[in-house]
Amino acid sequence: MSDQEKRQRKPAIGYTRTSSAANVGPDKDSVTRQRKAIQAYANRAGYRIVEWFDDPAIAGSDTIDSRPGFMAALELIATNGVRTIIVETANRFARDLIVQETGWKRLNADGVTLIAADSPDQFMDDTPTAVLIRQILGAVAQFDKAMTVAKLRGARERKRRRTGAKVEGRKSWAERKPGMVEVAKQLATKNRSLRDVAAELAKLGHLNERGATFSASSIRSMLR
């Protein structure tokens, strides 16, 4: 395709969303798959993707106002004149029916066209029939997600009852960094306060997830 042909194509923004942090990373294919589907549709329909925006680990029930990637896309739209956003599927925009419908209405009111690559007309018509179909499809996606969550929760509960093992939730520091916890325990035997132990750990390079000194309550948890 020549540069002139590319310039003649209508500009659009590509948007992807992944629900789980487990699907995020260079070794995962969720974003790559979504982008390929969006790009394939753009090529067929005469669009040129001028920018990509991603929202990793964002639930489909989160409103568009709470999504950093989507809000950045809207900020760009406000300045560059692009009026089209393409997603892989409608439920990549939102799985929750209310979020999907209210989000679409907001975009529509601002003159922004939302297109689902797998069903291009899904968000483009505002007839009673189109609205009904959109709501039904959104409800089905929402139901499927709820069923998946319920099945996974049931499987975890069965495993917990059968083995007594911890199968969900955040791991303790002892599980994540047993060496650091052992150092904390050794420091605590020298009649240091919890804050003193935290300060000594910081000197040794042991910090919390935010890169700050551990709080006294965190040290107390380690020592239990």
Side-chain angles (χ1 to χ4, degrees):
M1 183 185 300
S2 68
D3 291 340
Q4 182 179 357
E5 289 175 320
K6 290 181 179 179
R7 287 194 296 270
Q8 290 174 342
R9 286 175 168 260
K10 296 168 287 187
I13 285 173
Y15 173 73
T16 70
R17 179 189 63 78
T18 50
S19 298
S20 171
N23 293 325
V24 178
D27 59 333
K28 306 298 181 181
D29 67 349
S30 179
V31 172
T32 300
R33 188 201 67 245
Q34 291 180 59
R35 287 194 175 193
K36 284 182 178 179
I38 292 169
Q39 188 64 66
Y41 169 78
N43 293 342
R44 294 193 307 270
Y47 286 96
R48 171 172 52 92
I49 303 297
V50 298
E51 192 75 57
W52 293 96
F53 289 91
D54 308 310
D55 268 321
I58 293 293
S61 57
D62 289 353
T63 62
I64 61 175
D65 290 334
S66 64
R67 304 180 187 186
F70 202 88
M71 292 309 293
L74 293 184
E75 289 177 10
L76 181 63
I77 283 175
T79 60
N80 70 356
V82 177
R83 286 293 177 268
T84 303
I85 298 176
I86 305 175
V87 296
E88 180 195 26
T89 63
N91 61 25
R92 282 300 167 188
F93 173 59
R95 284 186 182 274
D96 183 274
L97 178 59
I98 295 176
V99 172
Q100 188 179 109
E101 190 64 17
T102 56
W104 175 80
K105 285 184 178 295
R106 170 180 168 175
L107 295 176
N108 193 47
D110 291 340
V112 179
T113 299
L114 180 66
I115 300 176
D118 70 329
S119 180
D121 295 330
Q122 185 164 343
F123 290 114
M124 299 185 73
D125 295 330
D126 201 20
T127 63
T129 300
V131 171
L132 175 61
I133 292 173
R134 191 161 57 241
Q135 291 176 338
I136 290 173
L137 292 176
V140 170
Q142 185 176 348
F143 174 77
D144 286 344
K145 178 67 172 181
M147 288 297 293
T148 299
V149 171
K151 289 177 181 177
L152 291 174
R153 184 185 301 115
R156 290 194 296 266
E157 290 296 334
R158 287 192 294 273
K159 182 177 180 180
R160 184 184 293 108
R161 289 194 297 268
R162 185 175 66 253
T163 66
K166 181 180 180 182
V167 295
E168 66 177 348
R170 186 179 179 183
K171 291 183 178 179
S172 67
W173 283 113
E175 294 172 298
R176 286 181 284 170
K177 293 188 176 182
M180 180 186 70
V181 172
E182 184 59 33
V183 171
K185 290 180 178 179
Q186 291 175 4
L187 292 170
T189 61
K190 299 178 181 178
N191 295 321
R192 290 186 173 94
S193 68
L194 296 176
R195 294 189 183 280
D196 287 341
V197 171
E200 290 298 323
L201 285 178
K203 290 179 182 178
L204 295 172
H206 298 301
L207 302 170
N208 63 20
E209 300 98 326
R210 300 183 300 279
T213 302
F214 283 103
S215 65
S217 60
S218 295
I219 298 297
R220 185 181 296 109
S221 297
M222 289 184 203
L223 301 178
R224 287 174 180 168

